[in-house]
Amino acid sequence: MLKAIIVDDEARNRNTLELLLKEYCPEVKVIAVAEDVLSGVKVIQKHNPDLVFLDIQMPNYSGFKLIEYFDKIDFQI
């Protein structure tokens, strides 16, 4: 089972992706969602996921900014 986190500023996108993963990728379990880069960093640090679905265009910070918060990336994006 792969642990996944979704980081996206749009609730509709988060919900749609989570539903699609449940239906078509049962081996991927969404363990947390975040609505911006800073909350994404917090849930990644807390849950240590295998996989992060990351929106790039978000208010305040680009999704790429999230990568800068980690010395070592031990998850797939």
Side-chain angles (χ1 to χ4, degrees), residues 14-30:
R14 292 191 306 266
N15 295 336
T16 300
L17 180 54
E18 191 167 2
L19 288 171
L20 288 169
L21 288 168
K22 278 183 184 178
E23 186 167 341
Y24 297 105
C25 302
E27 69 279 2
V28 176
K29 180 178 182 182
V30 176

Side-chain angles (χ1 to χ4, degrees), residues 58-69:
M58 291 187 281
N60 301 324
Y61 296 107
S62 160
F64 290 119
K65 185 74 172 172
L66 181 138
I67 297 167
E68 296 175 15
Y69 285 88

Side-chain angles (χ1 to χ4, degrees), residues 5-10 13-14 17 34-37 52-59 61-66 77:
I5 290 176
I6 299 171
V7 181
D8 193 316
D9 62 305
E10 296 182 39
N13 291 345
R14 292 191 306 266
L17 180 54
E35 60 188 26
D36 59 36
V37 168
V52 173
F53 291 92
L54 180 60
D55 184 15
I56 299 305
Q57 293 183 349
M58 291 187 281
Y61 296 107
S62 160
F64 290 119
K65 185 74 172 172
L66 181 138
I77 300 174

